[in-house]
């Protein structure tokens, strides 16, 4: 099985490009953010607890997202691998993912990082707010906190995966969606 991590700050286009990648390589796209939003929409206890943290632009507890990831690995069949989007988001999650995969005799295949500037994060998220109606996209303070959370907690993963030798970066700061998707698919092709 292949285990790809689609990495990048909020608004980099992970969700925008995940579908095409997953389809081309028969991968299951797992977005922890989408799974959490589904829990909120379904009105579950987990969703209720996650909502205030998501609305504040903070991370939900590691155990919550790791449980979702493990249960997806256990239950989803008929694919050649997984495309993780929005997970891992801090060093503890990255280390736990390594352990989860090790137990299964597997390892992270590659990290595909979509890189954009902080200024582009703000423009993209504001554009998306009008289209997708996400509460955490509509509030300036939440966006600022998500950017801070990214730099403080998620960005250190770049060094973690560079040290592991499987970090690959694509600059998607400018250009059209089509152009950026072609760049990402070109990189994916180099792993095939
Ligand atoms: P996303 O859709 O990836 O932008 O995620 C939306 C929000 O869900 C984030 O701002 C976090 O509050 C929460 N979230 C998503 N993935 C994770 C994760 N791996 N760890 C902790 N919180 C997460």
């Amino acid at each position: 099985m292949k285990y790809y991590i689609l990495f990048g700050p909020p608004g980099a286009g992970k969700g925008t490009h995940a579908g095409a990648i997953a389809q081309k390589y028969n991968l299951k796209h797992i977005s922890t953010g989408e799974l959490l939003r589904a829990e909120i929409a379904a009105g579950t206890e987990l969703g209720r607890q996650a909502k205030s943290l998501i609305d504040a632009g903070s991370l939900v507890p590691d155990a919550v997202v790791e449980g979702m990831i493990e249960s997806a690995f256990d239950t989803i069949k008929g694919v050649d691998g997984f495309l993780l989007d929005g997970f891992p988001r801090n060093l503890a999650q990255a280390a736990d993912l390594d352990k989860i995969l090790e137990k299964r005799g597997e390892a992270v295949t590659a990290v595909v990082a979509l890189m954009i500037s902080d200024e582009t994060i703000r423009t993209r998220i504001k554009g998306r707010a009008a289209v997708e109606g996400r509460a955490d996209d509509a509030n300036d303070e939440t966006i600022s906190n998500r950017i801070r959370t990214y730099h403080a907690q998620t960005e250190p993963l770049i060094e973690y995966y560079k040290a592991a030798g499987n970090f690959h970066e694509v600059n998607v700061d400018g250009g059209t969606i089509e152009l950026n998707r072609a760049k990402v698919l070109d990189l994916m092709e180099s792993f095939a």
Side-chain angles (χ1 to χ4, degrees):
M1 292 286 270
K2 305 279 191 192
Y3 293 87
Y4 292 104
I5 296 170
L6 193 53
F7 180 88
K14 301 187 293 294
T16 302
H17 299 302
I21 303 171
Q23 192 183 15
K24 182 160 182 201
Y25 296 99
N26 190 30
L27 307 170
K28 174 68 182 174
H29 169 216
I30 302 176
S31 155
T32 42
E34 271 175 27
L35 291 174
L36 290 165
R37 284 188 288 280
E39 294 281 342
I40 294 172
T44 65
E45 178 58 21
L46 192 159
R48 205 185 54 75
Q49 288 172 6
K51 188 177 180 342
S52 53
L53 291 164
I54 294 174
D55 286 350
S58 305
L59 298 183
V60 307
D62 297 340
V64 170
V65 283
E66 288 168 11
M68 291 174 154
I69 291 287
E70 271 205 279
S71 110
F73 289 167
D74 285 340
T75 54
I76 292 161
K77 309 285 175 211
V79 290
D80 295 329
F82 294 88
L83 181 64
L84 305 181
D85 160 359
F87 178 89
R89 214 102 154 195
N90 60 28
L91 285 169
Q93 290 179 16
D96 289 340
L97 174 62
D98 284 344
K99 284 188 212 132
I100 290 167
L101 291 178
E102 205 180 319
K103 272 194 295 184
R104 313 170 78 88
E106 304 273 13
V108 170
T109 308
V111 179
V112 174
L114 307 185
M115 302 311 288
I116 59 173
S117 67
D118 287 1
E119 202 188 326
T120 307
I121 297 178
R122 285 185 188 280
T123 334
R124 294 253 179 95
I125 290 184
K126 285 193 170 163
R128 185 170 73 182
V131 181
E132 294 183 13
R134 275 174 57 174
D136 61 343
D137 283 348
N139 179 295
D140 275 334
E141 189 40 49
T142 303
I143 297 171
S144 295
N145 199 31
R146 283 158 73 199
I147 294 174
R148 276 194 297 273
T149 303
Y150 170 76
H151 288 302
Q153 301 197 46
T154 311
E155 208 166 45
L157 296 184
I158 296 176
E159 289 310 316
Y160 182 88
Y161 287 113
K162 275 187 179 167
N166 51 11
F167 185 82
H168 306 265
E169 194 169 317
V170 186
N171 180 343
V172 292
D173 197 52
T176 61
I177 291 180
E178 290 71 25
L179 200 78
N180 289 329
R181 179 164 300 143
K183 283 193 201 171
V184 175
L185 288 173
D186 266 358
L187 174 61
M188 289 298 296
E189 203 52 33
S190 71
F191 308 132

